[in-house]
Amino acid sequence: MKKIIFVVALMASMVANAQIYSGKGDQKVQIGADFQDGATGIQGSYDYGIAQNFSIGLGVNYALGLDDSIDADFDERATLKLRFNANIGDVINIDPMFDVYPGLHFSSKSFGGHLGARYFFTDGFGIFSEAAFPLAKYKTEDLTPSEELYNQFTVALGLAFNF
């Protein structure tokens, strides 16, 4: 009986470790393109696992291509985010190489939420998609088109790396 319990425990720990998000100490880097009304840009993020299903991180965005009607300075084109994610890929248990992460972020422009998904083809390389939206904007009066950058719904697609 002891051998059966040992084998079951060993197999359960191997299955738990096969998940693409490994919990405390897990590290993810993402880089990709982002899209929003009036602009396209680049996005980068780093997430660090602090618990079984939670991570914190930093994100940066920069709008490269702007509509002709938008005249934006560097500070209006760029944003920095502090991210908090709930990594629930192992909770919904779709595929061990798939992670879904709803989260919140505090940016230089707003407080918002995001919902992302990552799929890894190998242990270290995959793709991601993420949608972000503001919940509370720091500037409450009407925003100019340049102030709307990263202060509205955005979508990002790109590459994900696992360390």
Side-chain angles (χ1 to χ4, degrees):
M1 184 65 166
K2 288 181 185 179
K3 289 181 182 179
I4 293 173
I5 292 173
F6 175 74
V7 169
V8 169
L10 182 64
M11 290 175 63
S13 70
M14 288 184 340
V15 169
N17 289 334
Q19 298 292 328
I20 202 60
Y21 179 78
S22 60
K24 190 173 181 178
D26 184 81
Q27 297 180 67
K28 303 277 190 278
V29 172
Q30 300 178 151
I31 185 141
D34 61 43
F35 308 92
Q36 62 185 304
D37 187 30
T40 57
I42 56 173
Q43 170 179 312
S45 65
Y46 170 77
D47 294 316
Y48 181 80
I50 57 171
Q52 177 61 33
N53 293 96
F54 295 99
S55 63
I56 60 171
L58 291 174
V60 294
N61 301 75
Y62 188 77
L64 295 171
L66 303 176
D67 285 353
D68 292 336
S69 62
I70 301 175
D71 181 30
D73 295 329
F74 176 83
D75 62 330
E76 294 167 321
R77 288 176 178 248
T79 187
L80 178 65
K81 297 177 182 178
L82 176 61
R83 300 162 46 96
F84 300 92
N85 296 330
N87 302 84
I88 59 173
D90 65 334
V91 175
I92 58 176
N93 202 18
I94 294 173
D95 184 306
M97 301 301 271
F98 182 73
D99 184 28
V100 175
Y101 56 96
L104 297 172
H105 59 264
F106 296 92
S107 80
S108 55
K109 297 185 176 224
S110 65
F111 166 70
H114 56 268
L115 175 62
R118 297 183 265 247
Y119 183 80
F120 282 82
F121 302 108
T122 67
D123 286 340
F125 175 74
I127 57 174
F128 83 97
S129 177
E130 186 173 297
F133 48 91
L135 296 170
K137 299 175 183 179
Y138 298 147
K139 188 173 179 185
T140 56
E141 57 270 5
D142 288 337
L143 301 178
T144 66
S146 61
E147 291 170 332
E148 283 286 336
L149 297 174
Y150 299 111
N151 229 341
Q152 61 184 315
F153 180 78
T154 63
V155 175
L157 305 166
L159 303 176
F161 303 94
N162 191 24
F163 296 97

